[in-house]
Each structure stands twice: as structure tokens, then as C-alpha cells.
Amino acid sequence: MVLKSTSASDISVYQVSGTNVARSLPDWIAKKRRRNLKNDLEYQNRVELIQDFEFSEASNKIKISPDGESAMATGTYKPQIHVYDFANLSLKFERHTDSENVDFLILSDDWTKSVHLQNDRSIQFQNKGGLHYTTRIPKFGRSLAYNKINCDLYVGASGDELYRLNLEQGRFLNPFKLDTEGVNHVSTNDTNGLIAVGLEENVVEFWDPRARSRVSKLHLENQFDSSPFQVTATSFRDDGLNFACGTSSGYSYLYDLRSQEPSIVKDQGYGYEIKKIIWLDNVGTENKILTCDKRIAKIWDRIDGKAYASMEPNVDINDIEHIPGTGMFFTANEGIPMHTYYIPNLGPSPRWCSFLDSITEELEEKPSDSVYSNYRFITKDDVKKLNLAHLVGSNVLRAYMHGYFINTELYDKVSLIANPNAYQDEREREIRRKIEKERESRIRTSGAVKKASIKINRSLADKISQKRGDSAAEKVLTDDRFKEMFEDEDFQVDEDAYDYKQLNPVKSAKETDEGAAKRIRALTAAEESDEERIAMRENRGQQSSSEDESSDEEDEEEKQALTKKDEKRIQRQLKAIERKKKERNAADKFMNEMHVGATDTDDLDVKKVTFDEQVREMEGKEKEKRPDDSIIHRTHFGEAELTFVPSKGKPKQRKPRRSDSDDEDEQEGREDRGRTKPRFDGRRRASKNVFRGM
């Protein structure tokens, strides 16, 4: 078991519950196998400060009862109210409401009496039995404040009035008329009864409930940010003289009520509106104050503004509450679980969870802890090495990103079976590392250090030294971030791999051993003549191999002298020569076919025949082909005009009609005449009009 912790300037902040709890479990474990975890000793010994300290969707507000024995929180979805009993460290009960809660106050010393401001303009009074009474206000409410002296409940709304509801008389009193509209926050001073109203403009109005009039008006000015802002939070200190307010631009102002100039202006740093300000009195240190926005809650010194500690959950903060006299804080946030933070330097843990003082240091998280303390992440290569490929898809291996999650105990057993000498090998590697560190610490030249440290990727080190110098290369080799790239074999660069060739498509002659033979370029005329001579000599040697034995011996010696690289180069160049010859022959053949009159005047001397004579001869041939007296005129654009005299054609001879008296045998013998008598004579007609065919 470990506790999530952060430390700044030797101040430890422990996160007891929330999204980053001590033992984080995957969602698929928490939902499906929660019952099986009851037999897990580590899960049984987990730190769960308050049982069911969460809401279905998000939490809005949280407050501690004045007696410090219980906590009340509101959240959604559905809108509900939770009350937690610290004595039993569990949820006491939950109630559902019709509308979502905006703000609430605990009126009694315990949780039994409370008032809730809803987002449907209603105000609900809750008691021990449930809903006691409901009333409504004209405008949508934003903030609540209660004056214990005269039992007035102040309701800040979106209008220009501060509503007053007297709980002793049970009726609304005349509201306080404000100069501007929009009340963001209301707070009261328990010492002198002064009321502070933070408005949408950069103004804070102070009212005296005894005189029912405005006492003063405070205008906030910010020389660091000239953009308009609103007052979103106000707070009085118990001494009655110090006042603090926060703005929508993320600045906090601290005032002494005897002066209009702020004693200090603190920037929260994120630019979000300040949600709450808490004066941390009766704690282990003095002069501390807490300011909170939706991103972070900061504790700092109100005298010099120096940061003391901070609490930053993974989700947005809606509200924060401090248990007086202790170092514990509760936060209501957008996540499902509510967060609990404990700062031992501010004070001890509450008496209902005093065990935290003894276990915080023991359970503090170490940097080497994995994401899930009881699960280990392995890659696909590890699965093959451990022979676990048959378990892929089962519940033993849970697929995640580019690998799998496996139980730590199961992984230890499987790795021991796969490699029984793993411990001994790791021990030898550790001894070897220590010996190499001792050797590196000795005095030696830079070149010796460089050679000793380079085990792989020597070409990469040479490139770095050529481009940036030996000093820069030595820094890279000795840097902890990059030295494993030249020592560990897993970082070996494969220059024959396809990906490497795609990233490095061209190499210079200095980088390759083959030199110019590997470069692809066109051959010059001199090289072509040399290659033709070499090819002719080889062909001649092959033809006369049976006649001249001495020439065969010379050719064999020459072939043996040629290396494989030279043979490949020669074959490649010979193919290029043959390809060029084929292209040249094809071009000559094409030019001969395109020559004028090459197809019609094979036997004619083209040089002695003019173009005019060829045109006249072509026209005469066309005239002989035409049987009529038509004339064709051709233009130099290739157009032709045909002139002719039309003539009457011979009239068509009609075939005589046969009479019905002709003999049928005679009609069948005449093949030149067509059929005139319908084939369907004597048959039943499809038409209803029988007289049509008579």
C-alpha cells in the first residue's frame, strides 16, 4: 500500500482519497471482480478514510458541522444530499431533491438543521426528518449567508437586491438595495456583524445590519490586469479587522478594514475565478491563508505572499473545506469520488482518524512504483519470450495500448520458469556495471574514453564528431540520456533495414565501400565505347573457345581476376548499352515510316518528281474512280468541295397484285412475289369486330 504524495519546500501533501488513491485499480477490476478482492490481504489493508465518500456524477458543495462530528455534501446526478458520520467513518444517509443545489448552510451545531439554495429559485429548510419548509425568491440565487445575532438569512441573487429572510419571525424583510446588479458572494463577520457583498462589477459593498444601510464601498483596482473583472469570493477573519476577496481574473486581495489600499495582491497563476478563501488559524504555522480556483488550491503566507503548499487534483474543484485545528482538507469536485488531503505540517489528523499520523510516512509512495501496484505492464515481445502467447485474449492478459497488463505475482512465477538463472544474470550485469563505472572514473585520454564507451552505432558517433567536433561527441557519449544508445544492443541501428533506407535514400561516395559503382547515372560516350569493346572481346572469346585453347586460358584468368562486384557492374552496363541500341533502332524505323511518300513511291525516284506533279496524278486517279461528272476542289487547309449535276433516277416497278382467283399452287411456285394473303385466314380473330375482315 502506498499513498499519493507531493512535496514542495519540504512540505508533504498526502492524498488520502480521490482519483489518485493509494492503490489504484483498473475499472474492469473494480466493477467485475470487487467481490473476489475481499480475500486479498493488501486490498483489505487499504486506506479508505470514509466509506462511500463519492457521488454518482459530481459534487457541488461540502461543509463540516460546527461540532466537527459530521460532514454534509451536495452533488449530482440525481440531485442529492449526503451526510457522513465521522464516528463510524461511513455514509449516514442520503436524500434526493427536485433541483440541483447551488449553496447551503448548516444552521445548528450538528447536521440536523440546514438551509439549501436550489437553482429553481427555491429555498429549502431541512431538518432531522427531511424537508421542513420551502419558499421562493424572485431572482435566481447565487450565495447564502447567516447572521447568528439577529437570525437573518441573506440571499444574494442575480438582481440588484440582497434578500433578507428572518428565521425568528419567519418572514422576508425589506431587502438591501444595491447600486449594481448581480451578487456573486455574500459573507458576514461574526465579530461585528458586518456584511460584505461581492458584485459583478469590481466593487464590494459593506452593510451594517443594525442601521440597515451601506457603510462603505470598496473599488478593486488591478495594475497588472486592465481587463474588467468581477468579485467572486469574500471572507472575513475572526479578528474582525482583516478582509479578503477574490476576483474572476484569478487575483486575491487582502485588506485591513482601516485602509482602502490592499496589503497584498496575490495571483493564483491560472487565470480562473477564485472560488473560496479560507483563513487558516489555529494550525501549526501562523499567517497562512488558502485560495482556491477550479484548478488548484494554494496555501501561502499572507504577510509576504510566499507559497507554502498546494493541492492539485486531476479534476476541476467546485468547493473546498478545512477541518479546523487539523491539517485535513475535503474537496468537492467534478469527479465521482471526493478528495481528501492531509498536510502534517499544518496540524495533526482529526481524532476520528488519528491513525493517519502513524502510517503516512510508512505508506508514502516511492518514485519506482508502477501505475498499478499489483499489475505489471509487458510488451508483445515479452509475451513471446515468456511463452504466454496462448493466453492472449483471456482474463490473465489484459490488452492495453501496445502491450498487456499481467498480475505481478504471476509474472514473477512465469519469468522464473522461463529463465531460472535470471537472478544470477542480473547480479553479474550489476557487477559489470559497477566495474565499468570504476574504470570510467580513472584518468585517461578523451580518445580512450570514447573508444571504451562505444560498443554499437560507431558510425553514428563518427557522424556526430565530424559535424560538431570531438568535444560535442564526447558529451553525448557521457550523457546519461544518450549513452545507452552506444552501449545497449537493443538500440542497434540496422542500416540494411527497409525503414532506414527510406529515411536515408542517398549516400555519398565516402560513406559507401562500393563508391561510384553503386551510383545510378547515364554512361558517357567514352564509357560506351569501352563497354562495347569489352563486350565484343567476351563474345569473341566465347565463340573461339573450341578452336584456341590458349585464348580460353586467358579468358578464364581474366574472369577469375574479376570480382563479383565488377561482374555485376559490367552486366549492368551491358544491359544499358543494349537498351540504348534498341531505342536508337526504334527511332530510325519511326523516321523512315514518317518520310513523305515512303509507302507509295518505293520504286520511284522521289528527288525527280515535284510535289505539283504528285498532286495532279492523285487528282487524275480520283477522277477516273468517279463515274459521273462531279468535280472536287481541294484547298490548302485540307477542305474539299464537291460539285455535281443531279439526274433523275429510274422509276421503281411495282409488283402486280394477285387476284383472289389465282390458283394456290401457282402462287406458291412464284418465288419473286411476296405473301399477300394473310396467314391467319380461317382462324378465329382476336378482335371483337368480326365485320372488319369481311
Side-chain angles (χ1 to χ4, degrees):
M1 284 300 299
V2 293
L3 283 178
K4 183 73 176 179
S5 64
T6 57
S7 60
S9 64
D10 299 332
I11 306 299
S12 298
V13 180
Y14 298 97
Q15 183 177 345
V16 182
S17 65
T19 53
N20 292 331
V21 291
R23 178 185 178 182
S24 57
L25 292 174
D27 294 337
W28 38 269
I29 285 290
K31 293 178 181 179
K32 296 182 180 180
R33 298 173 58 188
R34 190 181 293 272
R35 294 181 180 178
N36 298 334
L37 291 174
K38 64 182 181 180
N39 299 324
D40 190 351
L41 294 177
E42 188 178 359
Y43 186 75
Q44 291 177 359
N45 297 328
R46 71 192 185 279
V47 177
E48 188 174 5
L49 194 61
I50 301 175
Q51 189 177 2
D52 297 329
F53 196 60
E54 60 185 20
F55 281 86
S56 302
E57 186 68 25
S59 50
N60 297 332
K61 296 285 183 178
I62 184 170
K63 293 186 184 298
I64 305 297
S65 61
D67 59 1
E69 296 296 333
S70 58
M72 181 178 289
T74 60
T76 189
Y77 177 80
K78 300 176 180 180
Q80 50 192 301
I81 302 171
H82 288 186
V83 174
Y84 298 93
D85 188 6
F86 291 155
N88 297 317
L89 298 179
S90 63
L91 175 67
K92 191 175 185 67
F93 66 86
E94 64 179 18
R95 293 174 182 170
H96 291 264
T97 58
D98 296 335
S99 301
E100 189 173 347
N101 189 274
V102 177
D103 195 6
F104 75 94
L105 293 174
I106 299 177
L107 302 177
S108 60
D109 291 338
D110 55 4
W111 58 269
T112 55
K113 294 179 182 180
S114 60
V115 55
H116 299 264
L117 177 63
Q118 307 292 84
N119 63 356
D120 61 347
R121 297 187 292 111
S122 63
I123 300 175
Q124 292 186 0
F125 292 91
Q126 300 272 349
N127 60 8
K128 194 172 183 179
L131 179 61
H132 176 70
Y133 182 75
T134 301
T135 185
R136 294 173 71 87
I137 55 177
K139 302 287 186 178
F140 288 95
R142 297 179 181 178
S143 178
L144 289 176
Y146 181 63
N147 191 350
K148 297 180 180 179
I149 299 174
N150 56 9
C151 297
D152 280 349
L153 179 67
Y154 303 102
V155 184
S158 58
D160 59 348
E161 294 179 338
L162 181 65
Y163 301 110
R164 294 192 301 157
L165 177 61
N166 189 272
L167 302 185
E168 184 180 7
Q169 301 177 20
R171 65 187 180 90
F172 280 98
L173 304 179
N174 292 330
F176 292 155
K177 188 68 175 179
L178 306 174
D179 289 345
T180 58
E181 292 188 356
V183 178
N184 289 328
H185 196 267
V186 183
S187 61
T188 58
N189 193 334
D190 295 336
T191 303
N192 52 31
L194 197 63
I195 303 170
V197 183
L199 303 176
E200 288 186 357
E201 295 183 359
N202 55 340
V203 175
V204 180
E205 293 188 4
F206 296 93
W207 289 74
D208 188 354
R210 296 168 297 181
R212 296 186 295 276
S213 62
R214 185 185 299 106
V215 176
S216 177
K217 200 173 182 180
L218 179 63
H219 292 269
L220 303 183
E221 295 181 358
N222 190 353
Q223 58 182 353
F224 306 105
D225 187 7
S226 59
S227 59
F229 56 88
Q230 304 177 13
V231 179
T232 57
T234 58
S235 178
F236 284 100
R237 197 183 177 194
D238 292 338
D239 58 1
L241 294 178
N242 290 289
F243 171 75
C245 61
T247 64
S248 60
S249 58
Y251 285 88
S252 301
Y253 296 75
L254 302 186
Y255 286 91
D256 190 328
L257 293 179
R258 295 165 291 186
S259 174
Q260 290 188 352
E261 295 296 328
S263 59
I264 188 172
V265 178
K266 178 71 173 179
D267 184 10
Q268 192 78 354
Y270 291 96
Y272 301 119
E273 65 177 31
I274 302 298
K275 290 183 175 291
K276 197 166 187 179
I277 300 175
I278 301 175
W279 299 85
L280 298 178
D281 298 327
N282 300 324
V283 294
T285 57
E286 297 180 353
N287 302 325
K288 295 297 182 290
I289 190 172
L290 181 143
T291 56
C292 174
D293 60 5
K294 73 173 185 178
R295 181 74 177 274
I296 190 172
K298 289 186 176 181
I299 302 173
W300 45 282
D301 196 304
R302 62 184 178 87
I303 303 299
D304 55 6
K306 185 178 179 181
Y308 182 76
S310 62
M311 293 164 281
E312 187 175 4
N314 294 341
V315 292
D316 293 345
I317 302 174
N318 292 328
D319 191 20
I320 189 169
E321 183 72 5
H322 173 237
I323 301 178
T326 66
M328 184 168 287
F329 297 85
F330 293 146
T331 62
N333 42 260
E334 289 296 325
I336 294 176
M338 290 186 288
H339 292 60
T340 304
Y341 292 92
Y342 176 52
I343 305 177
N345 294 70
L346 289 179
S349 60
R351 57 185 179 85
W352 47 269
C353 61
S354 57
F355 57 87
L356 280 179
D357 292 330
S358 59
I359 67 172
T360 49
E361 294 182 0
E362 297 177 2
L363 300 181
E364 185 176 359
E365 117 181 301
K366 303 299 187 296
S368 60
D369 290 330
S370 59
V371 178
Y372 299 133
S373 58
N374 57 337
Y375 281 85
R376 184 185 181 94
F377 181 80
I378 58 176
T379 61
K380 295 181 180 179
D381 296 335
D382 296 336
V383 172
K384 293 180 181 179
K385 292 178 182 178
L386 298 175
N387 297 324
L388 298 177
H390 62 285
L391 297 178
V392 175
S394 63
N395 295 331
V396 178
L397 294 178
R398 292 282 182 172
Y400 183 77
M401 294 179 67
H402 61 282
Y404 305 92
F405 272 118
I406 187 174
N407 190 286
T408 305
E409 296 179 0
L410 179 60
Y411 174 81
D412 295 337
K413 293 179 182 179
V414 173
S415 59
L416 184 61
I417 294 172
N419 188 9
N421 301 324
Y423 175 77
Q424 187 67 21
D425 296 341
E426 183 63 26
R427 185 172 178 273
E428 292 178 358
R429 284 194 294 268
E430 189 66 25
I431 294 172
R432 196 179 298 112
R433 291 193 196 99
K434 291 182 179 179
I435 294 173
E436 290 177 356
K437 286 183 180 179
E438 292 178 358
R439 288 176 179 175
E440 290 178 359
S441 62
R442 298 174 184 175
I443 301 174
R444 60 182 68 188
T445 60
S446 60
V449 173
K450 183 177 179 182
K451 291 180 181 179
S453 59
I454 299 177
K455 296 180 181 179
I456 58 173
N457 297 331
R458 190 176 295 274
S459 60
L460 179 60
D462 295 338
K463 288 181 182 179
I464 297 174
S465 60
Q466 290 176 4
K467 292 182 179 179
R468 301 188 177 182
D470 295 337
S471 60
E474 191 171 352
K475 289 181 181 179
V476 173
L477 295 174
T478 56
D479 195 341
D480 295 336
R481 299 173 295 174
F482 310 113
K483 67 179 183 180
E484 290 187 0
M485 190 168 57
F486 302 96
E487 298 176 358
D488 194 349
E489 295 181 357
D490 294 337
F491 296 96
Q492 176 69 42
V493 178
D494 187 7
E495 296 185 358
D496 296 331
Y498 176 78
D499 295 336
Y500 181 83
K501 292 180 179 179
Q502 291 293 319
L503 296 174
N504 303 275
V506 180
K507 285 188 176 181
S508 62
K510 297 180 181 180
E511 296 178 358
T512 180
D513 297 335
E514 298 180 9
K518 282 191 174 183
R519 291 182 294 170
I520 300 173
R521 61 176 178 82
L523 300 176
T524 60
E527 290 175 345
E528 289 182 357
S529 61
D530 294 339
E531 298 303 333
E532 289 179 358
R533 181 174 52 80
I534 293 171
M536 291 172 64
R537 186 179 62 184
E538 289 181 355
N539 294 331
R540 193 183 305 113
Q542 293 176 0
Q543 293 175 359
S544 60
S545 58
S546 59
E547 297 177 359
D548 193 1
E549 296 179 356
S550 62
S551 61
D552 289 341
E553 293 177 358
E554 293 178 358
D555 293 339
E556 290 178 0
E557 291 177 358
E558 290 180 358
K559 289 182 180 179
Q560 291 177 0
L562 294 174
T563 61
K564 292 183 179 180
K565 297 180 181 179
D566 296 336
E567 290 178 359
K568 290 181 180 180
R569 179 174 56 82
I570 292 171
Q571 291 177 2
R572 189 162 51 250
Q573 292 175 352
L574 288 173
K575 290 180 181 179
I577 293 170
E578 293 177 359
R579 185 174 65 254
K580 287 196 171 186
K581 286 181 178 179
K582 290 180 180 179
E583 292 177 356
R584 195 181 297 111
N585 295 333
D588 294 341
K589 185 177 180 181
F590 178 75
M591 292 301 296
N592 292 331
E593 291 178 355
M594 292 297 294
H595 195 276
V596 179
T599 57
D600 297 336
T601 58
D602 293 336
D603 300 333
L604 184 64
D605 191 359
V606 181
K607 295 182 180 180
K608 296 181 180 180
V609 180
T610 62
F611 183 74
D612 188 17
E613 293 176 354
Q614 294 181 16
V615 171
R616 290 179 181 176
E617 184 180 356
M618 187 166 43
E619 290 178 353
K621 290 180 180 180
E622 290 180 356
K623 191 173 182 181
E624 291 177 358
K625 293 178 181 180
R626 294 195 302 271
D628 52 358
D629 297 334
S630 59
I631 301 172
I632 294 179
H633 297 283
R634 299 183 182 273
T635 61
H636 59 280
F637 294 108
E639 299 175 352
E641 295 180 358
L642 178 63
T643 304
F644 62 93
V645 178
S647 59
K648 293 182 180 181
K650 296 179 179 179
K652 295 182 179 180
Q653 296 179 358
R654 294 183 179 180
K655 295 180 180 180
R657 293 182 62 183
R658 286 184 304 179
S659 61
D660 296 337
S661 61
D662 291 341
D663 194 10
E664 293 181 359
D665 297 334
E666 204 172 0
Q667 291 176 5
E668 291 177 0
R670 297 175 182 175
E671 297 179 357
D672 57 341
R673 295 184 180 182
R675 183 183 297 274
T676 59
K677 191 175 183 180
R679 184 178 289 178
F680 48 82
D681 271 356
R683 299 181 183 178
R684 185 176 180 179
R685 298 180 182 272
S687 176
K688 294 182 179 180
N689 191 356
V690 183
F691 296 99
R692 182 178 297 174
M694 295 177 64

